[in-house]
Amino acid sequence: MAVSVTLPALGESVSEGTVTRWLKAEGERVEADEPLLEVSTDKVDTEIPAPAAGVLSAIKVAEDETVEVGAELAIIDDGTGGGDSAPAPAEESAPEPQAEPEPEPAASTSGDSSAASGADYSGPGSAEAGGSAGSAQGTDVTLPALGESVTEGTVTRWLKEVGEEVEADEPLLEVSTDKVDTEIPSPTAGTLLEILVGEDETAEVGARLAVIGEKGAAPAPAPAPKQEEPKAEEKPEPKAEPAPEPEAEEKPAPAPAPKPEPKAEKPAPAPAPAAKPAAGTDGAYVTPLVRKLAGEHDVDLSTVKGTGVGGRIRKQDVLAAAEAARAAKERPAPAAAPSAPAPSAVPAAAAELRGKTVKMTRIRKVIAENMMKALHNQAQLSSVVEVDVTRVMRLRARAKEAFLAREGVKLSPMPFFVKAAAEALKAHPVINARINDDGTVTYHDVENVGIAVDSEKGLMVPVIKDAGDLSLAGIAKRTAELAGKVRSGKLSPDDMSGGTFTISNTGSRGALFDTIIVNYPQVAELGIGATVRRPVVVNHPELGETIAIRDMVYLTLSYDHQLVDGADAARYLNEVKTRLEAGEFEGELGL
């Protein structure tokens, strides 16, 4: 029986996805829930698992093609024999693309057809088969569509050099967009003849990035244009004929001596990926990006279990391992703490930026554009109140151990602020609203609270859905879950969508208060400052006015004055203040 593989819903606002890589070829056996292909949307990259065990009998959507949610991607035969015979004629006819038009889809999973005729290659990623532009002739590597709203990408690193041999679907380069960082695979097997877009250069979707020629045919033509550029020639040093060029500096007799060694290594460019894994990775392919991340986070790749295809270690695996190691280091006795902050006060990555001019990252550009859009489209200003949270801090201190044992998450002060803010939104709908393009105003009937989180890539705002109806424990669990996803890079589109109001805890980094920019198109955002213990005048019922040590915090509400007046902002802030100072959370804490 044939089982259809369809594109599942990948998020509330995601309507389509692009097939970036098939992890199985037609005719291959797959197991239920085994990763079958990789799909990219404008929100996230993800793997689609096989819905059933069987044989992949037909691939309906080629790599780099975009389809809508629900579209059929492939067919899996349950083993009755229907799927075993389908791929066979495709492979047999692959060397004869002109005689048999049907085998064209098979070219996406086999490099043989392209090797037979690079000019007739019609697989994904091939814009023009003959290499109509540029000096090399072969199969074009183009920048695929990486999301609905993504129009361009920046080449961050080439994983192969000109003259090296590549296999079909082998990672060829890394590209960064405003949505995701991803690897672009080789559309066919062959030799990399020419690189058309250098590192740190930006290209539009569909642009030619490189040219791949037939295996064995590239070494001769590849060095020809490079003889005029001695420095660039140093890269393909192992080549048989161009080798004398870069070693021209060693004109004495020893020059010929080193040549036999590169020649001996020349036949082995294909196994190059096997040489890239770090020690102890069991031969699994490790991309340069993963190795770089591992080095930055002091992660031993031999201790990381890969979640990718065939046990391949992915970026998420390294980040998760780094987070686990960081958490483990926080558990030991604080005796070593005083000496640790000194060297870590200035991160090595930050120190390397001193005196340099670098390009702004894609995610930073997107944040910048959103900030400017908010300021240009809203009349923003801020109001501040001071809140005595002594009662909340005491309740937390009494309940945190029992709360951790009962709920499985730590009780931080953040859930108290989120609950008070979300409950107050119900009484002040003007704060939980948006101005539409047609001049109307939508007052939301849910309190979906976004939490601004600082991450290595930049500012992320995952959303706690229906926060106004959640208990303190529910908010604590959801906050911990979203924070973990941010750190591990596993946020889904749903996690980032649907927010109606945002809270930014700038006090976690020591700021007393901040005039935050509203998360457009929302009309208000609450900023939480640092909680500080200091002497305050209080009115005691028996002692009258006296001075006491209290836990104090500033709350800032930035808002769009087009809809929210200063009086509205003050009423909302005082509602939140009253709830926090009353601190009536004993029932939810079991006290």
Side-chain angles (χ1 to χ4, degrees), residues 55-309:
V55 176
L56 181 59
S57 60
I59 292 177
K60 299 292 187 180
V61 180
E63 292 179 358
D64 298 333
E65 288 189 9
T66 301
V67 294
E68 295 183 353
V69 170
E72 186 176 59
L73 303 174
I75 295 177
I76 295 176
D77 190 86
D78 63 358
T80 57
D84 294 335
S85 59
E91 294 180 4
E92 293 172 4
S93 59
E96 303 175 302
Q98 295 180 348
E100 292 284 342
E102 294 181 2
E104 289 185 1
S108 65
T109 58
S110 173
D112 297 337
S113 60
S114 63
S117 174
D120 291 335
Y121 180 79
S122 58
S126 168
E128 291 181 29
S132 57
S135 58
Q137 187 176 30
T139 301
D140 286 343
V141 180
T142 59
L143 180 63
L146 297 174
E148 182 180 0
S149 60
V150 177
T151 59
E152 62 181 17
T154 301
V155 176
T156 54
R157 181 179 301 183
W158 280 96
L159 307 178
K160 292 289 183 179
E161 298 178 351
V162 172
E164 283 194 66
E165 290 187 8
V166 297
E167 299 299 324
D169 298 326
E170 182 180 359
L172 189 61
L173 69 152
E174 294 171 358
V175 172
S176 174
T177 73
D178 58 349
K179 300 291 184 182
V180 69
D181 291 347
T182 188
E183 294 175 344
I184 305 298
S186 173
T188 182
T191 303
L192 182 58
L193 295 181
E194 188 176 9
I195 291 177
L196 303 175
V197 180
E199 293 183 358
D200 297 328
E201 291 185 7
T202 300
E204 295 184 354
V205 170
R208 299 172 68 231
L209 304 175
V211 178
I212 296 177
E214 299 179 6
K215 281 188 176 181
K226 292 200 167 187
Q227 289 176 354
E228 300 175 3
E229 302 176 30
K231 290 186 178 180
E233 192 65 12
E234 291 175 7
K235 291 184 179 179
E237 192 171 334
K239 303 298 177 291
E241 294 171 6
E245 290 281 339
E247 298 193 10
E249 298 176 3
E250 300 183 16
K251 292 182 180 178
K259 289 169 63 177
E261 292 184 10
K263 281 186 177 179
E265 295 176 3
K266 169 62 186 80
K276 291 184 179 181
T281 55
D282 297 329
Y285 177 76
V286 180
T287 67
L289 179 60
V290 169
R291 288 199 305 276
K292 179 183 176 184
L293 278 176
E296 291 175 350
H297 295 280
D298 292 329
V299 173
D300 183 358
L301 290 175
S302 64
T303 64
V304 179
K305 182 178 180 181
T307 60
V309 181

Side-chain angles (χ1 to χ4, degrees), residues 299 304 314-326 487-490:
V299 173
V304 179
R314 309 170 66 195
K315 292 182 289 186
Q316 293 89 335
D317 301 326
V318 174
L319 293 175
E323 179 60 27
R326 194 178 301 116
R487 289 190 291 268
S488 62
K490 295 182 179 179

